[in-house]
Amino acid sequence: MAKEIWKPGNMLYPLPAVLVTAADKKGNNNVFTVAWTGTVCSDPAMVYISVRPSRYSYNMIKETGEFVINLTTEKLAKATDYCGVRSGRDENKFETMKLTMERAKYVKAPLLKESPVNLECEVVSMTRLGTHDMFLAKVLCVHADKKYINDKGTFDLEKARPLVYSHGKYYNIGKKLGKFGFTVKKKNTK
């Protein structure tokens, strides 16, 4: 198999395309798209987002030390793209995209009602990296929409039809191929 050598780049794909909500101490809110995000630790539950300092929400997060990660779906594809290319300095993207704000339990930043899962986050550190700064955050609370909870009490990812980002394009997630440990699970002999 022949492979080309490319310059260093972010080829770790796909990534979740999420809508992050933030608020400043005066009560101004904003929503923006982030694809540089992920899980860092499971206990305690921790995540990160990387944000350009020029983004309108950057100073909101830096000032308050909190934000909400709102997972996206196929139905939120248009809003996800729009909130990544328009600035909250110039317009109210909640109104433009008809996104419904809901009160969070622990943070001042709003939840998005249309999102199947919302993660309330508290920043524990910020690291300057280059074009983006990384906000490492502890997850304070998770809100999961009951319509996506299956009969086993777990979140049905396929039913939610989450959105991912890959090299400038948005995709939905396909069918489940297996679950953790399926390669070593003992076969049922009954």
Side-chain angles (χ1 to χ4, degrees):
M1 173 191 284
K3 293 186 180 177
E4 292 182 16
I5 303 286
W6 292 354
K7 67 178 183 168
N10 296 328
M11 292 299 295
L12 186 62
Y13 289 118
L15 302 163
V18 300
L19 289 168
V20 173
T21 47
D24 64 19
K25 290 184 178 179
K26 295 177 185 174
N28 299 306
N29 298 302
N30 193 43
V31 56
F32 69 112
T33 305
V34 172
W36 307 150
T37 184
T39 300
V40 177
C41 185
S42 57
D43 188 13
M46 296 185 77
V47 295
Y48 77 93
I49 60 172
S50 290
V51 182
R52 288 182 185 269
S54 61
R55 297 293 296 261
Y56 179 61
S57 292
Y58 176 89
N59 285 324
M60 291 179 171
I61 296 168
K62 193 173 174 184
E63 173 188 349
T64 63
E66 30 182 72
F67 58 89
V68 176
I69 294 176
N70 302 276
L71 299 190
T72 59
T73 64
E74 282 182 7
K75 289 181 182 178
L76 288 168
K78 185 176 178 182
T80 302
D81 184 65
Y82 190 88
C83 291
V85 296
R86 298 290 191 208
S87 176
R89 285 184 187 97
D90 304 324
E91 67 180 289
N92 182 329
K93 293 183 280 185
F94 295 100
E95 288 178 7
T96 304
M97 289 288 97
K98 297 178 178 33
L99 296 170
T100 312
M101 290 186 278
E102 292 187 320
R103 182 179 294 270
K105 183 173 182 176
Y106 296 106
V107 301
K108 297 278 190 255
L111 309 176
L112 292 180
K113 180 179 182 177
E114 295 80 7
S115 173
V117 176
N118 321 87
L119 289 78
E120 294 187 44
C121 302
E122 178 181 57
V123 175
V124 297
S125 69
M126 186 192 91
T127 305
R128 294 191 181 276
L129 297 172
T131 59
H132 293 68
D133 290 348
M134 180 181 68
F135 292 96
L136 180 64
K138 183 176 179 183
V139 177
L140 302 176
C141 180
V142 176
H143 303 258
D145 192 325
K146 290 179 182 180
K147 72 181 174 185
Y148 299 111
I149 306 298
N150 64 25
D151 57 354
K152 295 179 183 173
T154 60
F155 189 78
D156 189 339
L157 196 65
E158 287 182 69
K159 192 175 182 183
R161 303 191 55 85
L163 194 65
V164 294
Y165 176 83
S166 181
H167 209 65
K169 298 174 181 78
Y170 301 100
Y171 297 91
N172 63 348
I173 292 182
K175 67 177 182 171
K176 179 177 80 174
L177 302 176
K179 68 178 196 176
F180 181 75
F182 81 98
T183 59
V184 295
K185 184 178 177 189
K186 292 182 183 179
K187 301 234 190 265
N188 212 352
T189 57
K190 292 182 184 179

Coordinates of all heavy atoms in Angstrom, one line a residue, residues 7-90:
K7 N 2.4 17.4 5.2 CA 2.8 18.2 6.3 C 2.0 17.9 7.5 O 0.9 17.4 7.4 CB 2.8 19.7 6.0 CG 1.4 20.2 5.8 CD 1.4 21.7 5.5 CE -0.1 22.1 5.4 NZ -0.3 23.5 5.4
P8 N 2.5 18.2 8.7 CA 1.6 17.9 9.9 C 0.3 18.6 9.8 O 0.2 19.7 9.4 CB 2.5 18.6 11.1 CG 3.9 18.6 10.6 CD 3.7 18.8 9.1
G9 N -0.7 17.9 10.2 CA -2.1 18.4 10.2 C -3.0 17.6 11.1 O -2.7 16.6 11.6
N10 N -4.2 18.1 11.2 CA -5.2 17.5 12.0 C -6.0 16.5 11.2 O -7.1 16.8 10.7 CB -6.2 18.6 12.7 CG -5.4 19.5 13.6 OD1 -4.5 19.0 14.2 ND2 -5.8 20.7 13.7
M11 N -5.6 15.3 11.1 CA -6.2 14.3 10.4 C -6.9 13.2 11.3 O -7.1 12.1 10.9 CB -5.3 13.6 9.4 CG -4.8 14.5 8.3 SD -6.1 15.1 7.2 CE -6.7 13.6 6.5
L12 N -7.2 13.6 12.5 CA -7.9 12.7 13.4 C -9.3 13.0 13.2 O -9.9 13.9 13.8 CB -7.4 13.1 14.9 CG -7.9 12.2 16.0 CD1 -7.4 10.8 15.8 CD2 -7.5 12.7 17.3
Y13 N -10.0 12.2 12.4 CA -11.4 12.4 12.0 C -12.1 11.1 12.2 O -11.6 10.0 12.0 CB -11.5 12.9 10.6 CG -11.0 14.3 10.4 CD1 -9.9 14.6 9.6 CD2 -11.6 15.3 11.0 CE1 -9.5 15.9 9.4 CE2 -11.2 16.6 10.8 CZ -10.1 16.9 10.0 OH -9.7 18.2 9.8
P14 N -13.5 11.1 12.3 CA -14.3 12.3 12.5 C -14.3 12.8 13.9 O -13.8 12.1 14.8 CB -15.7 11.8 12.1 CG -15.7 10.4 12.5 CD -14.3 9.9 12.3
L15 N -14.8 14.0 14.1 CA -14.9 14.6 15.4 C -16.3 15.0 15.7 O -17.0 15.3 14.7 CB -14.0 15.9 15.4 CG -12.5 15.8 15.1 CD1 -11.9 17.1 14.8 CD2 -11.8 15.2 16.3
P16 N -16.7 15.1 16.9 CA -18.1 15.6 17.2 C -18.1 17.1 16.8 O -17.2 17.8 17.1 CB -18.3 15.4 18.7 CG -16.9 15.2 19.2 CD -16.0 14.7 18.2
A17 N -19.2 17.4 16.1 CA -19.5 18.9 15.9 C -20.5 19.3 16.9 O -21.6 18.8 16.9 CB -20.0 19.1 14.4
V18 N -20.1 20.1 17.9 CA -21.0 20.5 19.0 C -21.3 21.9 18.9 O -20.6 22.7 18.4 CB -20.4 20.0 20.3 CG1 -20.2 18.6 20.4 CG2 -19.1 20.8 20.6
L19 N -22.4 22.3 19.5 CA -22.7 23.7 19.8 C -22.4 24.0 21.2 O -22.9 23.3 22.1 CB -24.2 23.9 19.5 CG -24.6 23.9 18.0 CD1 -26.1 23.9 17.8 CD2 -24.0 25.1 17.3
V20 N -21.5 25.0 21.4 CA -21.1 25.3 22.8 C -21.9 26.6 23.1 O -21.9 27.6 22.3 CB -19.6 25.5 22.9 CG1 -19.2 26.1 24.3 CG2 -18.9 24.2 22.7
T21 N -22.5 26.7 24.3 CA -23.1 27.9 24.8 C -22.3 28.5 25.9 O -21.7 27.7 26.7 CB -24.6 27.6 25.2 OG1 -24.6 26.4 26.1 CG2 -25.5 27.4 24.0
A22 N -22.3 29.8 26.0 CA -21.5 30.5 27.0 C -22.3 31.7 27.4 O -23.2 32.2 26.7 CB -20.2 30.9 26.5
A23 N -22.0 32.3 28.6 CA -22.6 33.5 29.1 C -21.5 34.3 29.8 O -20.6 33.8 30.4 CB -23.8 33.2 30.0
D24 N -21.7 35.6 29.7 CA -20.7 36.5 30.5 C -21.4 36.9 31.8 O -22.5 36.5 32.1 CB -20.3 37.7 29.7 CG -21.4 38.7 29.3 OD1 -22.5 38.6 29.9 OD2 -21.2 39.5 28.4
K25 N -20.7 37.6 32.6 CA -21.2 37.9 33.9 C -22.4 38.9 33.9 O -23.1 39.1 34.8 CB -20.1 38.5 34.8 CG -19.1 37.4 35.2 CD -18.0 37.9 36.2 CE -17.1 36.8 36.6 NZ -16.1 37.2 37.5
K26 N -22.5 39.6 32.7 CA -23.6 40.6 32.5 C -24.9 39.9 32.1 O -25.9 40.5 32.0 CB -23.2 41.6 31.5 CG -22.1 42.5 32.0 CD -21.7 43.5 30.9 CE -20.5 44.3 31.3 NZ -20.0 45.2 30.2
G27 N -24.8 38.6 31.8 CA -26.0 37.8 31.3 C -26.1 37.7 29.8 O -27.1 37.2 29.3
N28 N -25.1 38.2 29.0 CA -25.2 38.0 27.6 C -24.8 36.6 27.3 O -23.9 36.0 27.8 CB -24.1 38.9 26.9 CG -24.5 40.4 27.2 OD1 -25.6 40.9 26.9 ND2 -23.5 41.1 27.7
N29 N -25.6 36.0 26.3 CA -25.4 34.6 25.9 C -24.9 34.5 24.5 O -25.2 35.4 23.7 CB -26.7 33.8 26.1 CG -27.2 33.8 27.5 OD1 -26.5 33.3 28.4 ND2 -28.4 34.3 27.6
N30 N -24.2 33.4 24.2 CA -23.8 33.1 22.8 C -23.8 31.6 22.6 O -23.6 30.8 23.5 CB -22.5 33.7 22.5 CG -22.2 33.7 21.0 OD1 -23.1 34.1 20.2 ND2 -21.0 33.4 20.6
V31 N -23.9 31.3 21.3 CA -23.8 29.9 20.9 C -22.8 29.8 19.7 O -22.9 30.7 18.8 CB -25.2 29.2 20.6 CG1 -25.9 30.0 19.5 CG2 -25.0 27.8 20.1
F32 N -21.9 28.9 19.7 CA -20.9 28.8 18.6 C -20.6 27.3 18.4 O -20.7 26.5 19.3 CB -19.7 29.7 18.8 CG -18.8 29.3 19.9 CD1 -17.5 28.8 19.6 CD2 -19.2 29.4 21.3 CE1 -16.6 28.4 20.7 CE2 -18.3 29.0 22.3 CZ -17.0 28.5 22.0
T33 N -20.1 27.0 17.2 CA -19.7 25.7 16.9 C -18.3 25.3 17.2 O -17.4 26.2 17.0 CB -19.9 25.4 15.4 OG1 -21.3 25.8 15.1 CG2 -19.7 24.0 15.0
V34 N -18.1 24.2 17.8 CA -16.7 23.7 18.1 C -16.6 22.3 17.6 O -17.4 21.4 17.8 CB -16.5 23.7 19.6 CG1 -15.1 23.0 20.0 CG2 -16.5 25.1 20.1
A35 N -15.5 22.0 16.8 CA -15.2 20.7 16.4 C -13.9 20.2 17.1 O -13.7 19.0 17.1 CB -15.0 20.6 14.9
W36 N -13.1 21.1 17.7 CA -12.0 20.6 18.5 C -12.4 20.4 19.9 O -12.3 21.3 20.8 CB -10.8 21.7 18.4 CG -10.4 22.1 17.1 CD1 -9.9 23.4 16.8 CD2 -10.4 21.4 15.8 NE1 -9.6 23.5 15.5 CE2 -9.9 22.3 14.9 CE3 -10.8 20.2 15.4 CZ2 -9.7 21.9 13.5 CZ3 -10.6 19.8 14.1 CH2 -10.1 20.7 13.2
T37 N -13.0 19.2 20.2 CA -13.5 18.9 21.5 C -13.4 17.4 21.7 O -13.3 16.6 20.7 CB -15.0 19.3 21.6 OG1 -15.4 19.0 22.9 CG2 -15.9 18.6 20.6
G38 N -13.4 16.9 22.9 CA -13.4 15.5 23.2 C -13.3 15.2 24.7 O -13.2 16.1 25.5
T39 N -13.3 13.9 24.9 CA -13.2 13.4 26.3 C -11.7 13.3 26.7 O -10.9 13.0 25.9 CB -13.8 11.9 26.3 OG1 -15.1 12.0 25.9 CG2 -13.7 11.3 27.7
V40 N -11.5 13.6 28.0 CA -10.1 13.6 28.5 C -10.0 12.5 29.6 O -9.0 11.9 29.7 CB -9.7 15.0 29.1 CG1 -8.4 15.0 29.7 CG2 -9.8 16.0 28.0
C41 N -11.0 12.4 30.4 CA -11.0 11.5 31.6 C -12.4 11.1 31.9 O -13.3 11.8 31.7 CB -10.3 12.3 32.8 SG -10.1 11.3 34.2
S42 N -12.5 9.8 32.5 CA -13.8 9.4 32.8 C -14.2 9.5 34.3 O -15.3 9.6 34.7 CB -14.0 7.9 32.4 OG -13.0 7.1 33.0
D43 N -13.1 9.6 35.2 CA -13.4 9.7 36.6 C -12.3 10.6 37.2 O -11.2 10.0 37.5 CB -13.5 8.4 37.3 CG -13.9 8.5 38.8 OD1 -14.4 9.5 39.2 OD2 -13.8 7.5 39.5
P44 N -12.5 11.9 37.4 CA -13.7 12.6 37.2 C -14.0 12.8 35.7 O -13.1 12.8 34.9 CB -13.5 13.9 37.9 CG -12.1 14.1 37.8 CD -11.4 12.8 37.9
A45 N -15.3 12.9 35.4 CA -15.6 13.2 34.0 C -15.1 14.5 33.5 O -15.4 15.5 34.1 CB -17.1 13.1 33.8
M46 N -14.2 14.5 32.5 CA -13.6 15.7 32.0 C -13.6 15.8 30.5 O -13.4 14.7 29.9 CB -12.2 15.9 32.6 CG -12.2 16.0 34.1 SD -10.5 16.3 34.8 CE -10.3 18.0 34.3
V47 N -13.7 17.0 30.0 CA -13.7 17.2 28.5 C -12.9 18.4 28.2 O -12.4 19.1 29.2 CB -15.2 17.4 28.0 CG1 -16.0 16.2 28.1 CG2 -15.8 18.6 28.7
Y48 N -12.7 18.7 26.9 CA -12.0 19.9 26.6 C -12.7 20.5 25.3 O -13.3 19.8 24.6 CB -10.5 19.6 26.3 CG -10.3 19.0 24.9 CD1 -10.1 19.8 23.8 CD2 -10.4 17.6 24.7 CE1 -9.9 19.3 22.5 CE2 -10.3 17.1 23.5 CZ -10.0 17.9 22.4 OH -9.9 17.3 21.1
I49 N -12.5 21.8 25.2 CA -12.8 22.5 23.9 C -11.6 23.4 23.6 O -11.0 23.9 24.5 CB -14.1 23.3 23.9 CG1 -14.1 24.4 25.0 CG2 -15.3 22.4 24.1 CD1 -15.3 25.4 25.0
S50 N -11.3 23.5 22.3 CA -10.2 24.4 21.9 C -10.9 25.5 21.1 O -11.7 25.3 20.2 CB -9.2 23.7 21.1 OG -8.4 22.8 21.9
V51 N -10.6 26.8 21.5 CA -11.3 27.9 21.0 C -10.3 29.0 20.6 O -9.3 29.3 21.3 CB -12.2 28.6 22.1 CG1 -13.0 29.7 21.5 CG2 -13.2 27.5 22.6
R52 N -10.5 29.6 19.4 CA -9.6 30.7 19.0 C -9.9 31.9 19.9 O -11.0 32.2 20.2 CB -9.9 31.1 17.6 CG -9.5 30.1 16.5 CD -9.8 30.7 15.1 NE -9.5 29.7 14.1 CZ -8.3 29.6 13.5 NH1 -7.3 30.5 13.8 NH2 -8.1 28.7 12.6
P53 N -8.8 32.6 20.4 CA -9.0 33.8 21.2 C -9.9 34.9 20.5 O -10.5 35.7 21.2 CB -7.6 34.3 21.5 CG -6.8 33.0 21.4 CD -7.4 32.2 20.3
S54 N -9.9 34.9 19.2 CA -10.7 35.9 18.5 C -12.2 35.6 18.5 O -13.0 36.5 18.2 CB -10.3 36.0 17.0 OG -10.5 34.8 16.4
R55 N -12.6 34.4 18.9 CA -14.0 34.1 18.9 C -14.8 34.9 20.0 O -14.2 35.2 21.1 CB -14.3 32.6 19.2 CG -13.7 31.7 18.1 CD -14.4 31.8 16.8 NE -15.8 31.4 16.8 CZ -16.2 30.2 16.4 NH1 -15.4 29.2 16.0 NH2 -17.5 29.9 16.5
Y56 N -16.0 35.3 19.7 CA -16.8 36.1 20.7 C -17.0 35.4 22.0 O -16.9 36.1 23.1 CB -18.1 36.4 20.0 CG -19.1 37.2 20.8 CD1 -18.8 38.5 21.2 CD2 -20.3 36.7 21.2 CE1 -19.7 39.3 22.0 CE2 -21.2 37.5 21.9 CZ -20.9 38.7 22.3 OH -21.8 39.5 23.1
S57 N -17.2 34.1 22.0 CA -17.4 33.4 23.3 C -16.1 33.2 24.1 O -16.2 32.8 25.3 CB -18.1 32.1 23.0 OG -19.4 32.3 22.5
Y58 N -15.0 33.3 23.5 CA -13.7 33.0 24.2 C -13.6 33.8 25.5 O -13.4 33.2 26.5 CB -12.6 33.4 23.3 CG -11.2 33.2 23.9 CD1 -10.5 32.0 23.8 CD2 -10.6 34.3 24.6 CE1 -9.3 31.9 24.4 CE2 -9.4 34.1 25.2 CZ -8.7 32.9 25.1 OH -7.5 32.8 25.7
N59 N -13.9 35.1 25.5 CA -13.8 35.9 26.7 C -14.9 35.6 27.7 O -14.7 35.7 28.9 CB -13.7 37.4 26.4 CG -12.4 37.8 25.8 OD1 -11.3 37.3 26.2 ND2 -12.4 38.7 24.9
M60 N -16.0 35.2 27.2 CA -17.1 34.8 28.1 C -16.7 33.5 28.9 O -16.8 33.5 30.1 CB -18.4 34.4 27.3 CG -19.1 35.5 26.6 SD -20.5 34.9 25.7 CE -21.3 36.4 25.3
I61 N -16.1 32.6 28.2 CA -15.6 31.4 28.9 C -14.5 31.7 29.9 O -14.4 31.2 31.0 CB -15.2 30.3 27.9 CG1 -16.5 29.8 27.1 CG2 -14.6 29.1 28.6 CD1 -16.2 29.0 25.9
K62 N -13.5 32.5 29.4 CA -12.4 32.9 30.2 C -12.8 33.6 31.5 O -12.3 33.4 32.5 CB -11.4 33.7 29.4 CG -10.1 33.9 30.0 CD -9.1 34.6 29.0 CE -7.8 34.9 29.7 NZ -6.9 35.6 28.9
E63 N -13.8 34.5 31.3 CA -14.3 35.3 32.4 C -15.0 34.5 33.5 O -14.8 34.7 34.7 CB -15.2 36.4 31.9 CG -15.9 37.3 32.9 CD -17.0 38.2 32.3 OE1 -17.0 38.4 31.1 OE2 -17.7 38.8 33.1
T64 N -15.9 33.6 33.0 CA -16.8 32.9 33.9 C -16.3 31.5 34.3 O -16.7 31.0 35.3 CB -18.2 32.7 33.3 OG1 -18.1 31.9 32.1 CG2 -18.9 34.0 33.0
G65 N -15.4 30.9 33.5 CA -14.9 29.6 33.7 C -16.0 28.5 33.6 O -15.9 27.5 34.2
E66 N -16.9 28.7 32.7 CA -18.0 27.7 32.5 C -18.5 27.8 31.0 O -18.4 28.8 30.4 CB -19.1 27.8 33.5 CG -19.4 29.2 34.0 CD -20.6 29.2 35.0 OE1 -20.4 28.8 36.1 OE2 -21.6 29.8 34.6
F67 N -19.1 26.7 30.6 CA -19.7 26.6 29.3 C -20.6 25.3 29.3 O -20.5 24.5 30.2 CB -18.7 26.6 28.2 CG -17.7 25.5 28.2 CD1 -17.9 24.2 27.7 CD2 -16.5 25.7 28.9 CE1 -17.0 23.2 27.7 CE2 -15.5 24.7 28.9 CZ -15.8 23.4 28.3
V68 N -21.4 25.2 28.2 CA -22.2 24.0 28.0 C -21.8 23.4 26.7 O -21.8 24.1 25.7 CB -23.7 24.2 28.2 CG1 -24.5 23.0 27.9 CG2 -24.0 24.8 29.6
I69 N -21.5 22.1 26.6 CA -21.4 21.4 25.3 C -22.8 20.8 25.0 O -23.3 20.0 25.8 CB -20.3 20.3 25.4 CG1 -18.9 20.9 25.6 CG2 -20.3 19.5 24.1 CD1 -17.8 19.9 25.8
N70 N -23.3 21.2 23.9 CA -24.6 20.7 23.4 C -24.4 19.8 22.2 O -23.9 20.3 21.2 CB -25.5 21.8 23.0 CG -25.7 22.8 24.2 OD1 -26.6 22.6 25.0 ND2 -24.9 23.9 24.2
L71 N -24.6 18.5 22.3 CA -24.4 17.6 21.2 C -25.4 17.9 20.1 O -26.5 18.4 20.3 CB -24.6 16.1 21.6 CG -23.6 15.6 22.7 CD1 -23.7 14.1 22.9 CD2 -22.2 16.0 22.4
T72 N -25.0 17.7 18.9 CA -25.8 18.0 17.7 C -26.3 16.7 17.0 O -25.8 15.6 17.2 CB -25.0 18.9 16.7 OG1 -23.9 18.1 16.3 CG2 -24.6 20.2 17.4
T73 N -27.3 17.0 16.1 CA -28.0 15.9 15.4 C -28.1 16.3 13.9 O -27.8 17.5 13.6 CB -29.4 15.6 16.0 OG1 -30.2 16.8 15.8 CG2 -29.3 15.2 17.4
E74 N -28.6 15.4 13.1 CA -28.9 15.8 11.7 C -29.8 17.0 11.6 O -29.6 17.8 10.8 CB -29.5 14.6 11.0 CG -28.6 13.5 10.6 CD -29.3 12.4 9.9 OE1 -30.5 12.5 9.5 OE2 -28.7 11.4 9.6
K75 N -30.8 17.0 12.5 CA -31.8 18.1 12.5 C -31.1 19.4 12.8 O -31.6 20.5 12.5 CB -32.9 17.8 13.5 CG -33.8 16.7 13.0 CD -35.0 16.5 14.0 CE -35.9 15.4 13.5 NZ -37.0 15.1 14.4
L76 N -30.0 19.4 13.6 CA -29.3 20.6 13.9 C -28.1 20.9 13.0 O -27.3 21.8 13.3 CB -28.7 20.5 15.4 CG -29.8 20.5 16.5 CD1 -29.2 20.1 17.8 CD2 -30.4 21.9 16.6
A77 N -28.0 20.3 11.9 CA -26.9 20.5 10.9 C -26.8 21.9 10.5 O -25.7 22.5 10.5 CB -27.0 19.5 9.8
K78 N -27.9 22.5 10.1 CA -27.9 23.9 9.6 C -27.5 24.8 10.7 O -26.7 25.7 10.4 CB -29.3 24.2 9.0 CG -29.4 25.6 8.4 CD -30.7 25.9 7.8 CE -30.7 27.3 7.2 NZ -32.1 27.6 6.6
A79 N -28.0 24.7 11.9 CA -27.7 25.6 13.0 C -26.2 25.4 13.4 O -25.5 26.3 13.7 CB -28.6 25.3 14.2
T80 N -25.7 24.1 13.3 CA -24.3 23.8 13.6 C -23.4 24.6 12.7 O -22.4 25.2 13.1 CB -24.1 22.3 13.6 OG1 -25.0 21.7 14.5 CG2 -22.6 22.0 14.0
D81 N -23.7 24.5 11.4 CA -22.8 25.2 10.4 C -23.0 26.7 10.6 O -22.0 27.4 10.7 CB -23.2 24.8 9.0 CG -22.3 25.4 8.0 OD1 -21.1 25.1 8.0 OD2 -22.7 26.3 7.2
Y82 N -24.2 27.2 10.7 CA -24.4 28.6 10.8 C -23.7 29.3 12.0 O -23.1 30.3 11.9 CB -25.9 28.9 10.9 CG -26.2 30.4 10.7 CD1 -26.4 30.9 9.4 CD2 -26.4 31.2 11.8 CE1 -26.8 32.3 9.3 CE2 -26.7 32.6 11.7 CZ -26.9 33.1 10.4 OH -27.2 34.4 10.3
C83 N -23.8 28.6 13.1 CA -23.2 29.1 14.4 C -21.7 29.1 14.4 O -21.1 29.6 15.2 CB -23.8 28.4 15.6 SG -25.5 28.7 15.9
G84 N -21.1 28.4 13.4 CA -19.7 28.3 13.2 C -19.2 29.4 12.3 O -18.0 29.7 12.3
V85 N -20.0 29.9 11.4 CA -19.6 30.9 10.4 C -20.1 32.3 10.7 O -19.6 33.2 10.0 CB -19.9 30.4 9.0 CG1 -19.2 29.2 8.6 CG2 -21.4 30.3 8.8
R86 N -21.0 32.5 11.7 CA -21.5 33.8 12.0 C -21.1 34.1 13.5 O -20.9 33.2 14.3 CB -23.0 33.8 12.0 CG -23.5 33.6 10.6 CD -23.2 34.8 9.7 NE -24.0 34.6 8.5 CZ -23.6 35.1 7.3 NH1 -22.5 35.8 7.2 NH2 -24.3 35.0 6.2
S87 N -20.9 35.4 13.8 CA -20.4 35.8 15.1 C -21.6 36.3 15.9 O -22.4 37.1 15.4 CB -19.4 36.9 15.0 OG -19.0 37.3 16.3
G88 N -21.5 36.0 17.2 CA -22.5 36.5 18.2 C -22.3 38.0 18.4 O -23.1 38.7 19.0
R89 N -21.2 38.6 18.0 CA -20.9 40.0 18.1 C -21.9 40.8 17.2 O -22.3 41.9 17.4 CB -19.5 40.4 17.6 CG -18.4 40.1 18.5 CD -17.1 40.6 18.0 NE -16.0 40.1 18.8 CZ -15.3 39.0 18.6 NH1 -15.5 38.3 17.5 NH2 -14.3 38.7 19.4
D90 N -22.3 40.1 16.1 CA -23.1 40.8 15.0 C -24.6 40.4 15.1 O -25.4 41.1 14.5 CB -22.6 40.4 13.7 CG -21.1 40.7 13.5 OD1 -20.7 41.7 14.0 OD2 -20.4 39.9 12.9

